[in-house]
Amino acid sequence: MKATLAILTIGVVPVSEVLPLLTEHISEQQITHLSLLGKMSREEVMEDYAIDPGEDPLPTLLSDGKMAHVSRQKIERALQGVIEVLDNQRYDVILLMSTAPITGLVARNAILLEPMRIIPPLVASIVDGHQVGVIVPIEELIDNQASKWKVLENPPHYALANPFWDSETKLIAAGRELIESGADVLMLDCLGFHQRHRDLLQKALDVPVLLSNVLVARLASELLV
């Protein structure tokens, strides 16, 4: 029986560049990509996922190429509903392509891969005491970083660069800022960053660079053998 994979995203996430990492073990025909908000208009998104009192904001990229702040609690409930549908369709692996602070998701049959749960301990085991510099795409995400990276021996340093609208010069400047503050390993912590960004930094700054989507895609590929 051939393994099947469902890639689940919240907003607009370019998954095409991680497909080669997955199709080493599985044909593209056995991979399904579903985006919760990616095909909705901004008006539709805000009608269904607006932040009510007591709810937490979650920034995400919409189909108009701009960021929106939606309700994390509503997104979590909607994601769980989609996961239950995929579970009933007997997918072997469900990959949540998001580094958002999403919690409480459960799959009964499929293997559910959540970057927020997987990447921090994996990175901690790789860097083993080195000083990590984390590049995040928008300032609003920095507040969540301290709890996310608490597994690291040394608290990381942070810098901002966005893979969608910032220049290569801005990305290199962010990396250089982190190195000057003492970082000797860089982490691109946004699924919009791809291998060309990693290669750019490694060539310009001569420093090891880890990439969220490569780490989680390689793990997923191992489960599809």
Side-chain angles (χ1 to χ4, degrees):
M1 186 177 69
K2 295 182 178 180
T4 52
L5 166 70
I7 299 175
L8 178 56
T9 62
I10 298 174
V12 174
V13 176
V15 301
S16 58
E17 295 198 34
V18 302
L19 286 178
L21 302 173
L22 298 167
T23 53
E24 293 174 7
H25 303 296
I26 182 174
S27 72
E28 194 167 337
Q29 288 70 36
Q30 291 159 250
I31 301 174
T32 299
H33 172 216
L34 297 96
S35 176
L36 189 63
L37 310 179
K39 294 183 179 181
M40 298 174 65
S41 69
R42 176 170 293 268
E43 292 73 24
E44 291 170 331
V45 169
M46 299 317 297
E47 181 177 344
D48 292 345
Y49 296 97
I51 304 166
D52 290 332
E55 294 180 335
D56 302 316
L58 183 71
T60 190
L61 186 67
L62 300 186
S63 58
D64 60 6
K66 299 177 181 178
M67 299 297 296
H69 288 81
V70 295
S71 162
R72 179 176 62 81
Q73 286 82 356
K74 290 188 176 80
I75 292 294
E76 287 175 348
R77 288 194 293 270
L79 288 174
Q80 182 58 47
V82 175
I83 288 170
E84 289 172 6
V85 172
L86 295 171
D87 221 3
N88 290 333
Q89 294 175 349
R90 293 292 187 265
Y91 279 91
D92 296 294
V93 178
I94 301 172
L95 170 57
L96 176 64
M97 287 285 284
S98 172
T99 55
I102 299 295
T103 59
L105 301 180
V106 177
R108 291 175 288 107
N109 302 306
I111 297 173
L112 177 61
L113 297 180
E114 301 169 271
M116 273 291 290
R117 187 165 49 86
I118 294 168
I119 290 175
L122 181 59
V123 169
S125 69
I126 294 171
V127 301
D128 191 26
H130 288 271
Q131 180 61 58
V132 178
V134 180
I135 297 179
V136 294
I138 55 175
E139 191 169 3
E140 293 96 317
L141 295 178
I142 291 180
D143 290 342
N144 296 318
Q145 296 290 316
S147 60
K148 178 176 182 177
W149 298 108
K150 61 186 177 183
V151 295
L152 294 179
E153 183 177 331
N154 302 314
H157 303 309
Y158 303 104
L160 294 172
N162 193 291
F164 298 107
W165 52 72
D166 282 340
S167 65
E168 292 183 351
T169 301
K170 174 68 181 294
L171 178 60
I172 292 171
R176 184 172 286 113
E177 173 189 333
L178 291 170
I179 292 171
E180 290 173 353
S181 70
D184 55 2
V185 177
L186 300 182
M187 177 75 200
L188 292 174
D189 193 31
C190 170
L191 296 175
F193 285 119
H194 290 292
Q195 296 191 71
R196 67 180 181 277
H197 299 110
R198 180 186 64 185
D199 295 344
L200 175 72
L201 284 176
Q202 289 183 163
K203 182 178 180 179
L205 302 175
D206 191 26
V207 63
V209 181
L210 299 174
L211 193 55
S212 292
N213 57 13
V214 169
L215 293 174
V216 75
R218 290 204 180 281
L219 178 58
S221 71
E222 292 299 317
L223 296 170
L224 296 168
V225 176

